[in-house]
């Protein structure tokens, strides 16, 4: 079954075709020819969307998420098969990625995020207590393709604030967004008809500029360089959100290792380093472990990585990444041979690698299930090792207990971390998380407050 990777509402006029290619596989799509006309259509769609109560939008997304939560749902199965072809990930890895993303789109998660950022979600419907929140007429979201299903997060945020959306699809996400929008259309056409999901190449500045001209808000995902290129084109009146290059770490303290034991700590570390084949920004580059436990933990991590690979097979590693991974192994083995404390454990192939070291080397590599365990004398030293990476620091798996946990968490927050999770839970970011440290729902809206008016006083009374 061949379906378009794009989603264009019926009201879109003339289109031009494109093809997404990966190896021997190709996926057809279409994009608008006249972006000014498309912008007018999106603004009309926004007017229809704003008439829907926010709780109706939540209910619709929940119904669609319930369908996608079933692994045998036909649209999901097609999306998984296509994602496997493009990303090289195994079906189980893609399924787990979709489980995580779709699981965030249920009623409880959506309302929790709205209440956390807006207080009363119904400020999106009208004045509540003298205040009102207004979403952008049109949002442009430029996605990257690290994790299957990731576009759902920003797509749903835009719809929750009643913004129409231009979604620039990632090249490595051939089917999910369009399929998700088809499901949305079946439940509530007004929502799906407010989205244009299409693709243009990274070098196509003409189309990017034309799409930008239609937007009141811009959300950019990608490398620092890719985000900088978009940021340079954003006008002063446009709201701008950026999700650039990020790094994540783990910490295991003496007390945490004693409480849970090296085998259980290792199982949790292996889960963090195996989820999504370690390609997500949320995945740890390094685990900094109290040196009294580092070797025992590392030995158990090797066993745990082996079991994780059996439970959820890793994907194929492309030629370039394979060269990088083999080079990382050679460097690690050379260091291990020259120090008394270092060691390397690895699969016979490229399925997983565990490195024990006593120094945090310059971070490099593209994931692919490499668990680097670095021995540190204490939590303070671990925090200091992260400090040079503060600008890119995102997620920390913090293995600590009691007062020590909160003390280290506070230090990490000051350094720059925007999320702190338990070891083993690093990849499972909730919808209510203020993504990269900023309110991503409230950040899209503007507010109107009624002040010093008798009608306001009468309403509040």
């Amino acid at each position: 079954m061949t379906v378009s990777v794009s989603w264009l509402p019926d009201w879109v006029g003339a289109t031009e075709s494109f093809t997404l290619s990966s190896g021997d596989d190709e996926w057809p799509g279409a994009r608008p020819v006249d972006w000014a006309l498309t912008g007018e259509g999106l603004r009309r769609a926004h007017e229809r969307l704003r008439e829907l109560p926010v709780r109706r939008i939540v209910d619709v997304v929940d119904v669609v998420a319930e369908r996608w939560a079933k692994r045998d749902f036909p649209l999901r199965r097609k999306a998984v098969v296509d994602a496997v072809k493009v990303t090289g990930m195994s079906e189980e890895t893609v399924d787990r990625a979709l489980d995580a993303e779709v699981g965030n789109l249920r009623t409880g998660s959506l309302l929790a995020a709205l209440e956390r950022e807006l207080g009363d979600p119904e400020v999106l419907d009208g004045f509540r207590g003298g205040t009102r929140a207004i979403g952008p007429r049109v949002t442009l979201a430029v996605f990257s393709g690290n994790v299957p299903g990731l576009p759902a997060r920003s797509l749903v945020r835009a719809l929750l604030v009643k913004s129409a959306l231009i979604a620039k699809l990632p090249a490595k996400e051939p089917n999910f967004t369009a399929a998700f929008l088809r499901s949305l259309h079946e439940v509530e056409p007004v929502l799906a008809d407010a989205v244009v999901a299409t693709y243009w190449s990274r070098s196509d500045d003409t189309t990017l500029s034309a799409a930008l001209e239609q937007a009141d808000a811009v959300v950019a995902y990608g490398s620092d360089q890719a985000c900088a290129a978009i940021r340079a084109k954003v006008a002063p009146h446009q709201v701008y959100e950026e999700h650039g290059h990020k790094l994540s770490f783990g910490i295991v303290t003496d007390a945490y290792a004693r409480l849970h034991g090296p085998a259980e700590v290792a199982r949790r570390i292996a889960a963090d380093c195996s989820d999504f084949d370690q390609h997500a920004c949320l995945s740890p580059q390094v685990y900094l472990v109290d040196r009294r436990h580092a070797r025992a933990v590392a030995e158990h991590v090797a066993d745990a990585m082996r079991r994780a690979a059996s439970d959820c097979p890793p994907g194929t590693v492309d030629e370039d990444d394979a060269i990088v991974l083999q080079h990382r192994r050679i460097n690690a083995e050379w260091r291990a041979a020259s120090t008394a404390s270092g060691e390397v454990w690895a699969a016979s192939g490229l399925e997983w690698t565990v490195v024990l070291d006593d120094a945090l080397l310059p971070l490099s590599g593209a994931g692919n299930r490499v668990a680097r365990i670095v021995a540190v004398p204490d939590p303070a030293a671990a925090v200091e090792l992260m400090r040079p990476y503060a600008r890119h620091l995102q997620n920390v798996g913090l293995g600590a207990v009691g007062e020590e946990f909160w003390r280290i968490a506070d230090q990490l927050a000051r350094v720059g971390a925007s999320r702190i999770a338990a070891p083993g839970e690093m990849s499972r970011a909730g919808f209510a998380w203020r993504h990269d440290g900023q309110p991503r729902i409230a950040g899209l809206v503007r507010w109107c407050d009624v002040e010093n008016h008798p009608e306001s006083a009468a309403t509040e009374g």
Side-chain angles (χ1 to χ4, degrees):
M1 177 177 64
T2 300
V3 294
S4 174
V5 300
S6 55
W7 169 263
L8 302 179
D10 291 340
W11 53 258
V12 172
T15 63
E16 58 184 358
S17 299
F18 66 82
T19 302
L20 275 180
S21 301
S22 176
D24 297 329
D25 298 299
E26 294 185 339
W27 291 270
R31 60 177 160 258
V33 171
D34 189 334
W35 280 96
L37 195 64
T38 299
E40 291 178 11
L42 286 166
R43 287 183 281 275
R44 289 193 300 270
H46 162 71
E47 292 300 321
R48 294 188 291 272
L49 179 58
R50 67 188 297 189
E51 297 303 316
L52 289 181
V54 66
R55 290 183 183 272
R56 168 62 180 165
I57 298 173
V58 168
D59 289 344
V60 170
V61 173
D62 180 75
V63 169
V64 173
E66 183 178 22
R67 295 178 182 181
W68 277 82
K70 299 179 175 66
R71 289 196 172 189
D72 60 354
F73 180 53
L75 285 176
R76 171 168 170 156
R77 292 273 30 97
K78 178 67 168 62
V80 168
V81 170
D82 287 348
V84 168
K85 291 178 180 178
V86 174
T87 65
M89 293 180 177
S90 68
E91 281 201 22
E92 180 63 21
T93 299
V94 175
D95 265 323
R96 291 188 183 192
L98 290 183
D99 287 344
E101 290 302 324
V102 173
N104 274 320
L105 304 182
R106 305 309 302 269
T107 295
S109 296
L110 300 180
L111 288 178
L114 286 165
E115 290 166 359
R116 185 176 197 178
E117 295 202 17
L118 303 180
D120 182 352
E122 292 178 9
V123 293
L124 292 162
D125 299 335
F127 279 99
R128 302 278 290 183
T131 193
R132 172 83 158 92
I134 307 291
R137 292 177 302 170
V138 180
T139 298
L140 167 63
V142 180
F143 293 111
S144 63
N146 289 351
V147 179
L150 182 63
R153 194 171 289 242
S154 286
L155 186 156
V156 169
R157 285 183 190 134
L159 293 176
L160 287 173
V161 300
K162 307 185 184 183
S163 175
L165 181 72
I166 301 169
K168 192 269 187 183
L169 304 174
K172 288 190 174 182
E173 193 276 290
N175 189 259
F176 169 79
T177 301
F180 188 83
L181 288 165
R182 291 186 191 101
S183 302
L184 204 61
H185 191 271
E186 291 175 1
V187 181
E188 178 50 82
V190 171
L191 287 179
D193 286 346
V195 182
V196 168
T198 188
Y199 174 81
W200 57 86
S201 70
R202 187 178 302 174
S203 60
D204 187 352
D205 282 343
T206 300
T207 301
L208 172 60
S209 296
L212 271 167
E213 288 179 3
Q214 313 311 316
D216 304 293
V218 182
V219 181
Y221 289 80
S223 67
D224 286 348
Q225 293 83 357
C227 289
I230 295 169
R231 190 190 322 125
K233 295 177 179 291
V234 173
H237 72 276
Q238 291 173 314
V239 173
Y240 180 65
E241 291 185 2
E242 182 172 295
H243 302 282
H245 175 59
K246 297 297 178 185
L247 294 171
S248 296
F249 293 80
I251 294 177
V252 172
T253 69
D254 172 52
Y256 187 86
R258 291 180 186 279
L259 177 65
H260 295 286
E264 176 58 20
V265 170
R267 184 193 67 78
R268 298 177 186 186
I269 291 174
D272 287 336
C273 294
S274 299
D275 283 351
F276 311 147
D277 287 351
Q278 207 182 18
H279 291 309
C281 294
L282 294 167
S283 302
Q285 293 279 324
V286 174
Y287 250 95
L288 304 164
V289 179
D290 185 284
R291 63 188 176 193
R292 286 164 284 192
H293 307 278
R295 174 167 290 277
V297 167
E299 290 172 348
H300 283 285
V301 170
D303 290 334
M305 293 288 280
R306 186 181 298 110
R307 291 193 299 271
S310 175
D311 180 48
C312 181
T316 57
V317 181
D318 67 31
E319 185 176 351
D320 290 341
D321 282 354
I323 292 171
V324 171
L325 179 51
Q326 288 166 338
H327 188 254
R328 293 177 74 188
R329 281 185 175 182
I330 290 170
N331 282 344
E333 288 165 354
W334 180 86
R335 280 188 55 78
S338 61
T339 65
S341 56
E343 194 161 346
V344 178
W345 300 260
S348 57
L350 299 178
E351 294 86 0
W352 57 268
T353 308
V354 178
V355 176
L356 173 63
D357 206 335
D358 58 3
L360 180 60
L361 302 179
L363 300 180
S364 62
N368 296 315
R369 304 199 185 195
V370 178
R372 286 202 74 229
I373 310 301
V374 173
V376 293
D378 51 45
V383 173
E384 284 305 308
L385 284 173
M386 292 185 197
R387 200 172 295 280
Y389 302 96
R391 186 167 71 90
H392 292 111
L393 182 59
Q394 183 185 64
N395 183 31
V396 179
L398 178 52
V401 294
E403 184 277 333
E404 183 181 55
F405 169 86
W406 291 108
R407 176 170 50 81
I408 301 170
D410 188 68
Q411 293 169 355
L412 292 170
R414 291 172 182 272
V415 168
S418 65
R419 180 174 181 267
I420 296 169
E425 301 291 332
M426 290 185 67
S427 66
R428 297 171 177 82
F431 196 81
W433 169 44
R434 297 179 181 93
H435 196 166
D436 291 340
Q438 298 296 323
R440 298 308 181 182
I441 296 173
L444 287 174
V445 305
R446 63 177 177 83
W447 294 86
C448 179
D449 297 318
V450 176
E451 285 190 331
N452 302 329
H453 196 288
E455 291 297 327
S456 175
T459 301
E460 291 175 0

